[in-house]
Amino acid sequence: MSEPEGASAERETPKRGGGSTARDALAIGAATGVFGVSFGVLAVAAGLSVGMTCASSLLVFTGASQFAAVGVIGAGGSPVAAVAGGLLLAARNTAYGLALAPLVRGGPLRRLLGAQLVIDESTAMATAREDPDDARRAFWLTGLAVFTLWNLGTLIGALAGGALGDPEALGLDAAFPAAFLALLAPQLRRAGAGPAALAGALLAVALVPFAPPGLPILAAALGVIPGVVLAAKRRRAEH
Amino acid sequence: MLAGGAYVLKAVGLLATGGREPSPRVSALLALLPVPLLAALVAVQTFSSEKELVLDARAAALAVAGVGVLFRAPFLVVMLAGAGTAAGLRALG
């Protein structure tokens, strides 16, 4: 951190500078970029053309959905199954959009472009910031960094094929839960957030063995119910 | 088809409220939505492999990341510590 000494060291929630937001956005973008490379490799191996593979990253731009759809196609499954599985994984973006709507303002074009950037990473980075301007900047910077590097990675992977290394050997799959935990932590101070997070995580883990991929995380949205109920109860107790 | 559907799913959430300001109670509920979803994402990305629940290098990586968060380590440090832990454990074993 390049903050002047003692500038904001004692503050509970230091206001993050644009520089650190840009750097964090690039870091998350770089990690997704490496997975973009493996997506490119897998998609071409599953029989998609280079053009189709790149179009998927540009247009679908929801990593989990793309991996799932390519997995179904690679295993000889039907296109309908591929689309249905992919959409189930993408459905949580609707919930993210509901929460981000107050931040992504502006003309229709701006909002329609912003919609494509509503993903796990941009949501986590934006919601981790309390100041609305910081949050807005974090949304756009993260969305654009991930979009650029995910697509660049996809192109490289689609062209290079299997000649490239394994992102799991670099531990990059573990970088994502670590990053999301770091972004979730400051939000847990909000009323009801702790119970909501706990309920969501437990419900999702409990559903993993039984539900199709995507549904466990989507169902975790129900975690807002204990969160809101407990927050209201505490408010009443205080009054 | 997947592209169109995935885009619609994103746009619907963002544009659902139109220009209207929902009631404070609804706003609070919507603002809280990403919290359980991100918590679930962390849990599923750490403890599952396909449809199986597993305890592997990712759990250790999350624990290290959690310690970093407790000590208010910068975001980048937490993320790299998570990746480094998993990479190190896999290289060893």
Side-chain angles (χ1 to χ4, degrees), chain A residues 71-166:
Chain A
V72 171
I73 293 166
S78 74
V80 174
V83 170
L87 288 181
L88 189 53
L89 279 155
R92 64 175 177 268
N93 292 329
T94 304
Y96 291 155
L98 285 169
L100 292 175
L103 285 178
V104 188
R105 299 262 162 162
L109 184 66
R110 199 178 166 86
R111 287 199 289 165
L112 289 173
L113 280 177
Q116 180 69 336
L117 304 181
V118 173
I119 49 168
D120 295 325
E121 292 83 356
S122 55
T123 305
M125 284 277 282
T127 53
R129 279 142 178 88
E130 280 180 40
D131 180 75
D133 287 331
D134 283 352
R136 191 172 296 119
R137 193 169 52 229
F139 169 78
W140 285 102
L141 282 174
T142 308
L144 290 171
V146 171
F147 186 82
T148 306
L149 294 166
W150 171 254
N151 281 291
L152 190 66
T154 300
L155 178 66
I156 292 171
L159 292 175
L164 294 154
D166 172 13

Side-chain angles (χ1 to χ4, degrees), chain A residues 12 24 27 59-62 87 94-95 97-99 101 112 115-116 120 168-169 171 173-174 177 180 185 190 193 196-197 204 209 211 217 220, chain B residues 3 5-7 9-10 13-14 30-31 34-37 39-43 45-46 51 58 65 69 72 75-76 78-79 83 86-87 90:
Chain A
E12 182 73 6
D24 294 353
L59 301 174
V60 180
F61 187 52
T62 305
L87 288 181
T94 304
L98 285 169
L112 289 173
Q116 180 69 336
D120 295 325
E168 295 199 0
D173 55 332
F180 288 128
R190 287 162 43 190
I217 293 173
Chain B
Y7 181 78
L9 285 171
K10 292 172 179 174
L14 206 54
L30 296 181
V35 167
L37 289 174
L41 187 64
V42 169
Q45 285 182 340
T46 302
K51 293 182 96 172
R58 290 171 296 170
V69 168
R72 295 171 186 258
F75 171 77
L76 209 53
V78 172
M79 187 172 153
R90 284 173 188 153

